[in-house]
Amino acid sequence: MKIAYISSYPPRECGIATFNHNLLKAIGFNKNAVSEESFVVAMNDADSLDDYEYPKEVKHVIRQENQKDYIRAADYINTSIADACILEHEYGIYGGESGVYILPLIARLQKPLITIFHTILKDPNHMQLTVLREIAKYSSRIVVMSHRAVGFLIEIYGIPYHKIQLIEHGVPDLEPKENNPIKNSIAFKGKKVLFTFGLISRNKGLETVIEALPAIVAKNPNVMYVILGTTHPGVIRNSGEEYRDSLKRLAKNLNVEENLTFINKFVSEEELYDYLTACDMYITPYLNEAQITSGTLSYAVGAGAAVVSTPYWHAQELLSDHRGKLFDFRKSDQLAEIVNELFADEDKLKLLKANAYEYGLHLRWPSTGDVFVDVLNEAIDKYLSEKEIGGKPIIDPDIMPAFNLAHIQRLTDDTGIVQHAKYGIPNLKEGYCVDDNARALILTILAYQQNKSKVALDLLPIYLSYIQYMQCDNGNFRNFLSFRREYLDEVGTEDSFGRTIWSLGYLINNAPNNSYREFAKELFLRSVPHFKDLKHLRGLGNTIIGLTHFIKAHPGDEHIKDQLDKLAEPLKAAYRKNKEGHWHWFEEKMTYDNAILPLALMSYYEISKNQEAYDIAFESMEYLTQKTLISGYLNPVGNDGWLFKDGPEMAIYDQQAIETMAMVLMYFKAYEITHDKTYIKQMYVSYQWFLGENVLRIPLFDHETKGCADGLQTYGINRNQGAESTLAYWISHLVVLKAMEFEYEFIQSSDLTTSQKQAF
């Protein structure tokens, strides 16, 4: 098999780069299973592609902060001869917030993916949690290097156990040299050597060892603490050698500067092994427990070094069973006591080394590589078998969150639903609007229809009451209300008017009891005189949808039918006026809530059977589809610039949830009219925008709060979870569930052959 490795790579000085280089060689040892044509996609930490002279196995390079490079890399891998991919994941080597730029790459891969997690946080923030979960979702197998990491993935990240594979960190397949040149170097010759290596930064806790030196030197005057390694590149960029210099000053203040040696270089693996086998003790004095994997610790154990360490997570596991000694974080006195004890008892020191060496034998790279080959073969076989089976239903309910109105309840009080939230907390300062209460009314009706939700039924009169409170004496509607229940406008927008009519019409046609229906009908009829004043297309469109629902409940009402015809005409006229050449749209620009316009004409066609409305609706829908649904996922017009008829490229970011809801509703209506299953598929693809099938591959739905993020931005998601976005999600969710009933009926249709059913 041929493998594509995605990782940093030498000559970049990075622990992950070294690990990936070793893994490539280790897997490559198995000549019968792995082809020499395997290659590396290397992560660059600079904008220039010429910063590193990569070896021949590096066939493609990604600049860390260049989003387009990730897409190009996916295309490169997909068109390559690779049978599978291995992704090395570590925070800091991929671009965007918490490395989010890697998600569009792996989502596009058409190869099985094995991901190795080098860091798994116990208390991740929202973005870290989301990115890790999404990577796991796209991975055939997740590899971790400690038992604690397995537990974290299951308990904190919700990753199923069957996806996780424990493979301990590999170590060099080397033996100690009889004539080790390091032992004759100035820092080692005639010295008792304490040793630490790795990229230098403050979290390594090197000052703890220096603080222990006075007590160690008092009993062992010839001790030398050797620190091998360059300062971390990120530290160099931000603060230069400030930390290294502070360690030198500390040693001078403690009168142990003669017992401290810095070797400021990045050494080869073979040379590092010489250092590890030449030292008396290896020390890792990290400052806290949150280190799930340490390559330096694994190397030290693999070399048979006597290790003294703070009890971070990986050290607790790897140094158990008398393979090393532990001391508490920042406790230099404990460290000094352990070091002096081991120097005083040579048998204890030799036993630690022997135990470590014995355990390290099974960690050597050739053995580790064989385990990876087995995992890769299994992933490839599973991927190919699933590809052959095919024929899955379009809608997969298993990936859909369980229905839960917790965040809707959180945003709702006895007045109505609050407009906005800070993260998942209602922002009472922003008050209420009729737009959101109208949407909330539609949601509660849908929820009660589908699953007889008592919660929804209890919420319904709150939203209906709010709408009644916002109706003016003349039948029009205000929009905004303060938290103190003070009106903030004299009359609302045409959009908010239309959405209110939609919700009232929907209730009239689907009311759970006659009382609610009569109440809604009274509000609806009082508003009719204002239909003639509507000018804006989305106000017209929303109102048209509301009227079609009213007519379904009252098919004999000719007055409302006449109103419907009058409202549809300016929508059709706008399309006729603006359609030109390649541009098949109602205006000279695509802005917000775009799918509402085709949806309105589809709804009108259902009542009127007007052929022009049908033609415009489906032609404009296909044009909208071409603009937003051609990449296998929904990419709606961004509010940060929109799309103009003769303007620049479509704005991508500041994507809003109401765009997606409108797309879901539009495609579902298209299916209801045509019974073309293509529209169910497009509806479901649109819905998955909420769950991470979007340009950044980040879910907007929050499984913890049951709310939805307010938008998709260049940097990630807008973490606020207001009413509009959350209502848009749950309405879309319920419409998809409703569509599942149609899909099932279609599959079961006796008119279909067996092969057609499988294809569907």
Side-chain angles (χ1 to χ4, degrees):
M1 63 183 145
K2 305 166 190 70
I3 304 161
Y5 298 83
I6 306 169
S7 173
S8 54
Y9 203 72
R12 180 175 171 180
E13 295 180 359
C14 164
I16 303 301
T18 302
F19 179 93
N20 194 61
H21 177 63
N22 286 329
L23 180 62
L24 182 145
K25 290 192 299 181
I27 292 177
F29 285 148
N30 194 328
K31 302 293 185 184
N32 295 325
V34 181
S35 168
E36 292 182 357
E37 296 179 82
S38 297
F39 62 90
V40 175
V41 174
M43 294 301 308
N44 248 31
D45 54 353
D47 286 335
S48 171
L49 294 173
D50 301 321
D51 275 18
Y52 300 110
E53 292 186 15
Y54 287 115
K56 63 180 181 179
E57 61 265 26
V58 174
K59 302 299 184 185
H60 197 83
V61 177
I62 299 173
R63 291 165 293 183
Q64 182 171 324
E65 299 301 331
N66 189 313
Q67 287 178 276
K68 290 184 178 179
D69 280 5
Y70 291 83
I71 307 305
R72 296 186 188 107
D75 293 340
Y76 181 84
I77 295 169
N78 287 336
T79 56
S80 75
I81 57 175
D83 298 300
C85 297
I86 290 179
L87 173 75
E88 308 284 358
H89 180 266
E90 176 65 280
Y91 295 105
I93 66 173
Y94 301 110
E97 185 183 354
S98 302
V100 70
Y101 289 174
I102 194 62
L103 298 185
L105 188 163
I106 63 175
R108 286 170 169 79
L109 284 180
Q110 297 166 12
K111 317 276 185 179
L113 175 68
I114 308 296
T115 298
I116 304 168
F117 285 139
H118 289 264
T119 295
I120 301 165
L121 302 173
K122 185 179 181 181
D123 298 301
N125 63 34
H126 176 83
M127 201 61 178
Q128 291 164 339
L129 181 73
T130 299
V131 169
L132 210 73
R133 280 176 171 169
E134 287 302 295
I135 292 173
K137 181 176 82 174
Y138 289 108
S139 301
S140 299
R141 211 63 183 271
I142 297 297
V143 174
V144 293
M145 304 179 204
S146 69
H147 292 281
R148 193 180 294 263
V150 175
F152 281 5
L153 287 181
I154 295 169
E155 296 160 17
I156 300 169
Y157 296 85
I159 295 171
Y161 177 77
H162 68 82
K163 261 200 167 187
I164 305 169
Q165 176 83 37
L166 172 61
I167 305 176
E168 291 189 84
H169 197 297
V171 302
D173 186 25
L174 297 170
E175 293 293 339
K177 293 178 180 176
E178 289 187 15
N179 298 307
N180 188 339
I182 299 300
K183 289 184 178 180
N184 292 318
S185 64
I186 295 174
F188 280 70
K189 190 172 184 179
K191 303 290 195 306
K192 293 181 176 179
V193 178
L194 309 178
F195 181 58
T196 297
F197 81 93
L199 293 173
I200 295 175
S201 59
R202 282 198 175 274
N203 64 334
K204 298 299 177 67
L206 305 178
E207 61 273 12
T208 304
V209 186
I210 295 172
E211 289 166 356
L213 282 178
I216 297 171
V217 171
K219 292 188 176 182
N220 300 277
N222 63 335
V223 79
M224 180 65 72
Y225 180 36
V226 176
I227 300 173
L228 169 66
T230 59
T231 301
H232 193 286
V235 175
I236 289 285
R237 282 194 296 269
N238 295 322
S239 52
E241 293 289 5
E242 182 271 335
Y243 179 53
R244 188 189 296 267
D245 292 341
S246 73
L247 295 174
K248 292 176 181 178
R249 287 195 300 272
L250 176 62
K252 185 174 182 179
N253 292 337
L254 295 175
N255 296 315
V256 292
E257 67 268 31
E258 298 299 323
N259 303 91
L260 175 65
T261 296
F262 283 99
I263 302 176
N264 189 2
K265 65 177 182 177
F266 195 87
V267 299
S268 69
E269 198 169 82
E270 186 174 347
E271 190 176 359
L272 172 59
Y273 196 81
D274 289 342
Y275 276 101
L276 285 168
T277 52
C279 73
D280 293 282
M281 292 179 220
Y282 177 76
I283 303 178
T284 53
Y286 299 158
L287 295 178
N288 62 69
E289 65 178 1
Q291 180 89 9
I292 204 79
T293 305
S294 170
T296 60
L297 180 67
S298 297
Y299 276 30
V301 169
V307 181
V308 182
S309 174
T310 49
Y312 53 91
W313 295 325
H314 195 201
Q316 290 178 37
E317 285 190 29
L318 198 53
L319 301 183
S320 62
D321 297 329
H322 307 290
R323 291 191 290 270
K325 290 280 190 178
L326 301 176
F327 66 97
D328 291 333
F329 300 106
R330 302 178 189 271
K331 296 294 185 181
S332 56
D333 55 339
Q334 286 186 19
L335 172 60
E337 186 178 337
I338 291 171
V339 169
N340 285 334
E341 177 191 349
L342 290 174
F343 276 142
D345 191 333
E346 193 172 333
D347 288 339
K348 282 186 179 179
L349 191 61
K350 286 181 178 178
L351 182 61
L352 284 183
K353 290 183 176 183
N355 290 342
Y357 177 83
E358 185 65 28
Y359 189 80
L361 290 174
H362 91 279
L363 301 179
R364 295 194 177 191
W365 276 117
S367 300
T368 303
D370 287 341
V371 179
F372 270 98
V373 169
D374 291 341
V375 172
L376 284 161
N377 278 322
E378 179 187 320
I380 292 170
D381 289 345
K382 184 180 178 187
Y383 179 83
L384 293 175
S385 63
E386 288 177 352
K387 198 172 181 181
E388 286 176 8
I389 293 171
K392 292 182 179 179
I394 293 173
I395 299 171
D396 181 2
D398 289 339
I399 75 164
M400 298 176 68
F403 181 70
N404 190 313
L405 291 176
H407 192 53
I408 298 298
Q409 289 177 281
R410 194 178 300 120
L411 292 171
T412 303
D413 59 19
D414 58 356
T415 298
I417 191 165
V418 175
Q419 281 191 83
H420 299 300
K422 294 291 289 182
Y423 297 92
I425 307 303
N427 185 358
L428 304 181
K429 293 180 180 180
E430 301 294 334
Y432 317 83
C433 69
V434 78
D435 269 318
D436 290 334
N437 280 272
R439 292 188 188 96
L441 180 59
I442 292 171
L443 171 63
T444 56
I445 299 164
L446 275 168
Y448 186 70
Q449 280 181 322
Q450 291 211 19
N451 52 31
K452 294 296 181 280
S453 167
K454 184 179 184 305
V455 171
L457 191 61
D458 290 343
L459 291 172
L460 190 156
I462 296 175
Y463 308 132
L464 184 57
S465 175
Y466 178 89
I467 291 171
Q468 187 267 343
Y469 187 65
M470 299 302 284
Q471 189 167 42
C472 306
D473 292 339
N474 65 2
N476 208 333
F477 295 93
R478 294 181 172 91
N479 192 9
F480 298 110
L481 189 73
S482 75
F483 185 63
R484 297 172 62 182
R485 296 185 180 178
E486 297 168 335
Y487 295 125
L488 298 178
D489 54 8
E490 290 301 316
V491 64
T493 64
E494 291 189 17
D495 281 12
S496 65
F497 178 90
R499 291 187 185 108
T500 306
I501 299 305
W502 180 350
S503 69
L504 292 173
Y506 194 71
L507 178 57
I508 291 165
N509 192 36
N510 299 280
N513 60 54
N514 199 48
S515 175
Y516 292 166
R517 178 179 292 106
E518 290 178 2
F519 189 89
K521 185 176 179 181
E522 182 179 316
L523 301 181
F524 182 97
L525 293 176
R526 289 184 63 202
S527 71
V528 172
H530 297 280
F531 292 174
K532 67 180 185 305
D533 300 322
L534 295 172
K535 299 289 188 293
H536 296 286
L537 297 188
R538 283 155 190 80
L540 288 164
N542 283 301
T543 305
I544 287 170
I545 297 168
L547 266 63
T548 61
H549 286 292
F550 182 94
I551 292 169
K552 287 177 182 177
H554 299 281
D557 194 320
E558 296 301 325
H559 176 61
I560 298 299
K561 285 183 179 178
D562 182 57
Q563 293 289 326
L564 180 62
D565 290 334
K566 290 177 179 177
L567 291 174
E569 187 52 43
L571 207 56
K572 294 186 289 181
Y575 187 81
R576 291 193 297 265
K577 177 183 176 182
N578 287 285
K579 177 186 173 182
E580 181 182 358
H582 67 86
W583 185 258
H584 295 177
W585 197 243
F586 300 83
E587 301 167 296
E588 291 189 346
K589 57 184 179 296
M590 281 187 176
T591 56
Y592 66 96
D593 218 1
N594 292 299
I596 287 298
L597 304 182
L599 172 62
L601 288 181
M602 289 179 195
S603 301
Y604 173 60
Y605 168 78
E606 275 192 310
I607 300 298
S608 67
K609 303 305 177 187
N610 181 279
Q611 188 61 42
E612 184 185 22
Y614 179 97
D615 294 342
I616 292 173
F618 280 85
E619 187 174 80
S620 60
M621 177 184 67
E622 291 305 322
Y623 187 67
L624 182 60
T625 300
Q626 290 172 23
K627 294 296 182 184
T628 62
L629 206 68
I630 58 170
S631 302
Y633 59 90
L634 180 64
N635 198 26
V637 176
N639 278 10
D640 187 21
W642 295 332
L643 173 63
F644 286 79
K645 185 177 184 178
D646 298 311
E649 290 185 4
M650 183 179 88
I652 299 298
Y653 290 106
D654 197 10
Q655 297 180 9
Q656 302 290 304
I658 58 167
E659 296 293 327
T660 302
M661 180 186 80
M663 297 290 282
V664 168
L665 294 171
M666 176 186 70
Y667 287 127
F668 182 58
K669 180 60 67 178
Y671 176 76
E672 285 186 306
I673 292 171
T674 65
H675 298 289
D676 184 343
K677 65 182 182 295
T678 301
Y679 297 125
I680 284 187
K681 183 175 182 179
Q682 291 173 328
M683 176 209 67
Y684 186 55
V685 169
S686 299
Y687 161 77
Q688 288 181 292
W689 178 90
F690 291 107
L691 303 184
E693 295 297 321
N694 50 54
V695 66
L696 289 184
R697 304 294 166 159
I698 310 175
L700 284 89
F701 178 78
D702 187 333
H703 290 266
E704 294 177 351
T705 65
K706 315 305 178 189
C708 178
D710 278 351
L712 196 65
Q713 313 291 347
T714 53
Y715 58 81
I717 57 174
N718 180 338
R719 290 288 314 286
N720 296 330
Q721 298 174 8
E724 179 182 285
S725 54
T726 300
L727 290 164
Y729 171 73
W730 284 117
I731 289 172
S732 301
H733 177 99
L734 290 173
V735 170
V736 169
L737 291 180
K738 188 174 181 64
M740 279 182 59
E741 301 170 14
F742 287 85
E743 181 184 10
Y744 177 78
E745 290 172 6
F746 189 91
I747 293 172
Q748 296 303 312
S749 169
S750 58
D751 294 335
L752 294 178
T753 65
T754 302
S755 61
Q756 285 174 322
K757 291 178 184 179
Q758 289 174 344
F760 183 54

